[in-house]
Amino acid sequence: MMDKKSMNTKPYLFLGLLFLGFAMVSCSSDDDSPITPPPIIEVNDCEPYTATPAFGTINSEWTAPNEEDRYDGVITIPSDPGGGYVRVLLTQDHPDLRPWLTISNDLDAGGAIVSGSSANTNNELNREAYFSVHPGTTFSLEVFPFFNAPVDDYPVSYTIEWEFFSRVDCFESNDTQATAKKILFDETIEAYAIAGHIGYGVGSFDEQTYDWYKVNLTEPGFIESEVLDMPSDMTIQMRLFKTDGSTVSIIHEWLDPDSPNSNGRRSRIKSSQSLAPGTYYIELHPDFVKSRKSSFDTEPIPEHFNKTYKIKTISY
């Protein structure tokens, strides 16, 4: 015969066993459920960065006519991957003096990016210039009176101001096929075509004048890339390459009416035949660029200094 104490304990024991059973079933059910991995979201190789400010001011004076003042390496460009451009302004206030300004990567090499006086400019008392720059470069300045003030009026004070305008391009540096940046099909990308000075000139086929992109074709198909928008002071040419560096046969089409040197004309290229799956490279090259500098205040700042190009690549 069961005593009273045993009868009171048994319901609690039953409930405990029942709860444990449910817990075991529940845990077993969770452990056996398949785990769905999160979707893989493909992204391009854009690497955003913050523009680096750089500027300087020189206050000095010419103590005698024809005095040449030289400032070696006074302009230092930050390492911002997209480079940018520099404005240099030489000011003085003597009404008879016309200042001369020379900008060069090396004043002893005999070449200059900008060189000349303020004579016949919009403001002959001052000298202003703009030029594109490559990351990490340095430049020197030389200034002197081209048309002198009267001898008794010396010394004449002057000021040189320079400022770097960084052009943030998250796809730089991508100047070679080896450094090509991945982009995705059906997305519009935006970048600058502002090849900067390393020496005193920028050659038409210098490495920094190229932009390279790569796309991954996952199934057989055609590749098409289109220039949606661009500066009007250049022509943009594109080619398609395989991984081994050989070119892909393409069909080229102009999308805008003819213009001198085809400057500002949007265009489209597409593979002339279906391509096998794999990685393909788009070479983009600005050509027939009107100028990479503005030497005087009578010349406009090159449009591509401040205007990007846009391209879109698709597969079908």
Side-chain angles (χ1 to χ4, degrees):
M1 183 175 179
M2 190 177 296
D3 59 20
K4 186 174 182 180
K5 183 177 179 181
S6 298
M7 292 177 64
N8 290 337
T9 303
K10 192 170 183 179
Y12 294 102
L13 179 60
F14 174 76
L15 291 174
L17 291 172
L18 183 62
F19 175 78
L20 180 61
F22 279 125
M24 291 177 65
V25 171
S26 177
C27 289
S28 175
S29 176
D30 287 345
D31 291 343
D32 294 340
S33 299
I35 299 175
T36 303
I40 298 174
I41 301 176
E42 190 177 10
V43 296
N44 60 36
D45 283 344
C46 168
E47 298 180 37
Y49 61 92
T50 302
T52 305
F55 52 88
T57 301
I58 299 169
N59 292 303
S60 189
E61 62 184 20
W62 292 297
T63 60
N66 303 317
E67 179 181 284
E68 297 182 4
D69 291 349
R70 175 170 167 157
Y71 301 95
D72 288 307
V74 70
I75 297 176
T76 299
I77 306 305
S79 59
D80 292 13
Y85 67 91
V86 167
R87 173 184 184 249
V88 178
L89 178 63
L90 167 61
T91 59
Q92 61 83 40
D93 58 8
H94 194 288
D96 298 328
L97 192 149
R98 300 293 179 266
W100 181 286
L101 170 67
T102 296
I103 304 172
S104 178
N105 63 302
D106 184 355
L107 291 170
D108 295 324
I113 299 169
V114 170
S115 187
S117 78
S118 62
N120 300 316
T121 61
N122 290 325
N123 184 347
E124 295 190 345
L125 301 184
N126 304 328
R127 185 76 167 78
E128 183 179 29
Y130 296 78
F131 64 104
S132 62
V133 292
H134 196 70
T137 49
T138 59
F139 301 94
S140 302
L141 305 175
E142 188 173 57
V143 296
F144 61 88
F146 179 67
F147 291 161
N148 285 288
V151 175
D152 293 340
D153 289 352
Y154 286 88
V156 174
S157 298
Y158 66 83
T159 298
I160 303 172
E161 299 172 276
W162 69 271
E163 184 175 3
F164 166 64
F165 296 87
S166 180
R167 301 293 81 180
V168 176
D169 185 339
C170 69
F171 292 102
E172 289 285 357
S173 58
N174 61 336
D175 301 341
T176 65
Q177 183 172 353
T179 59
K181 297 299 177 68
K182 181 178 71 174
I183 59 175
L184 308 181
F185 289 118
D186 300 314
E187 71 171 353
T188 298
I189 69 160
E190 184 173 1
Y192 284 98
I194 185 168
H197 287 77
I198 296 175
Y200 63 83
V202 179
S204 298
F205 302 104
D206 285 356
E207 189 173 273
Q208 71 269 27
T209 65
Y210 290 84
D211 283 344
W212 283 83
Y213 303 97
K214 59 184 177 181
V215 290
N216 184 31
L217 191 64
T218 58
E219 57 185 37
F222 293 81
I223 293 177
E224 178 179 295
S225 191
E226 180 176 331
V227 179
L228 304 176
D229 193 21
M230 61 177 292
S232 63
D233 59 347
M234 61 174 55
T235 303
I236 287 182
Q237 303 283 359
M238 292 189 294
R239 293 193 295 173
L240 198 59
F241 285 79
K242 299 176 183 178
T243 301
D244 63 5
S246 61
T247 56
V248 174
S249 176
I250 59 171
I251 298 170
H252 175 275
E253 179 185 3
W254 291 113
L255 303 177
D256 290 315
D258 194 12
S259 63
N261 294 321
S262 293
N263 279 8
R265 295 180 77 186
R266 295 174 302 118
S267 61
R268 178 192 299 128
I269 64 167
K270 57 184 176 181
S271 58
S272 59
Q273 58 187 12
S274 181
L275 303 173
T279 301
Y280 293 89
Y281 296 80
I282 301 164
E283 176 205 78
L284 186 147
H285 185 232
D287 205 358
F288 297 104
V289 180
K290 289 182 180 179
S291 181
R292 299 191 186 277
K293 61 186 179 182
S294 171
S295 297
F296 305 93
D297 65 4
T298 56
E299 299 174 352
I301 301 172
E303 185 180 11
H304 70 275
F305 281 16
N306 294 298
K307 182 177 175 61
T308 59
Y309 66 80
K310 297 177 183 179
I311 65 171
K312 184 177 180 179
T313 303
I314 64 172
S315 64
Y316 58 94

